[in-house]
Structures are given as C-alpha cells and as structure tokens.
Amino acid sequence: MILIITVLAILLLIACVGWWNCYRSKQLVEAVSEFNRNAVNELQIWLHEEKLTVEALENELANLKAQPEQEFKQLQEEQQDELGFGQHVKWRSTKKPTSQTYRLLFDIEPNGQRILEELTARFKRNVFTDDERETCRRIGRAEVVDFIISRINTANDPRYTEQLELAHMEQNDE
C-alpha cells in the first residue's frame, strides 16, 4: 500500500512537472511571438523611414543634376540674346603664346598631357588613303598636332630662352 502511494505520488509529481513545463513553454512561445511581432513592426517603421529618406535624397539629387543644366541653358540664352546667333568666343590674351606656354600647358600640366594624347590619337592616324583629297585633309589635321609638338620641343631645347623668343616675335611682328 505504501508502495502504491509512493508510485502514485511520483507519477503525480511527474505529471505536475510535465504540466508546468507545458505551461512555461507556452508562455515562452507567446513571449517570443510578441517579441517577434514588435521587432517586425519596428523594422517596418524603420524601413518606411528609410524609404522616405531615400526618396528625399533622390529628389535632391535630381534637383542638383537639373540645376547645372538649367543654369547652363539660361547662360546660353543670355549670351544668344546678348550676342545674336552662333557661337562667339571672347579672347582675353594680350600677348602671343611662346613655346614655353605650349610646354607648360601640354608637357607639364597633366590635363594638357591628356588633351595632347587625345589630339595625337585622333588626328595623327594614318594620313594616307586612296583618295587624294582625304589624304590632304588628314595631313592638314596632323599639322596642328605637329605644330604643338614642335613648340614643346623648342621649349625643351637647353638653348631656349623665352626672352629670346619674345624678342624674335617683336622683331618679326608675329
């Protein structure tokens, strides 16, 4: 009889522990579910705020991209109204460029080097073709690049002085 009561007490204890574990796991599942719902809601709110921020930045970027184009078009319109039609260039140079000027611009300045490389690649290609007129045209285009390179080489000559060239230019009224 004591043995039966002991066995029943042990079984009752096991059932209570099992029930308690089920109850606790159900509470734990509900707590995790609630946490997940809150986290999802917070992420959705954050995502919505980020989308609004991205849209605002895209609008600002579009405005910034459009602004220079609008300003440039406005500048062109003002110049056309002022000058009439066509493209006009106002020269501000008061003295003729020397070989040193060409050297500084096309040999020392990195942007000038890139420009000279592009001019050389574009206009110093194979000048001879089957068509005589086309050959003459290509030779004429190549002469410009040759002139620039010649002026650079003149300035790179150890005997060159800018004062000597300026004096020569004044004497010959070039």
Side-chain angles (χ1 to χ4, degrees), residues 5 24 84 88 92 112 124 148 153 158 160 164:
I5 292 175
R24 287 294 285 160
H88 299 279
R92 297 183 207 164
K124 291 280 290 178
I148 293 171
N153 289 338
Y160 171 79
L164 181 64

Side-chain angles (χ1 to χ4, degrees), residues 18-28:
W19 177 78
W20 178 254
N21 283 338
C22 285
Y23 177 73
R24 287 294 285 160
S25 63
K26 198 183 267 187
Q27 282 183 335
L28 187 59

Side-chain angles (χ1 to χ4, degrees), residues 97-109 111-124 139-157 160 165:
T98 62
S99 295
Q100 183 68 18
T101 308
Y102 283 88
R103 180 176 170 265
L104 290 173
L105 182 64
F106 291 109
D107 195 30
I108 294 176
E109 172 68 31
N111 291 327
Q113 291 173 0
R114 290 191 350 232
I115 290 170
L116 184 59
E117 286 176 16
E118 181 182 13
L119 291 173
T120 303
R122 186 174 189 145
F123 298 117
K124 291 280 290 178
I139 289 172
R141 288 175 17 169
E143 276 186 27
V144 174
V145 177
D146 289 337
F147 174 78
I148 293 171
I149 292 172
S150 171
R151 295 296 294 264
I152 293 170
N153 289 338
T154 301
N156 284 331
D157 189 333
Y160 171 79
E165 184 177 14

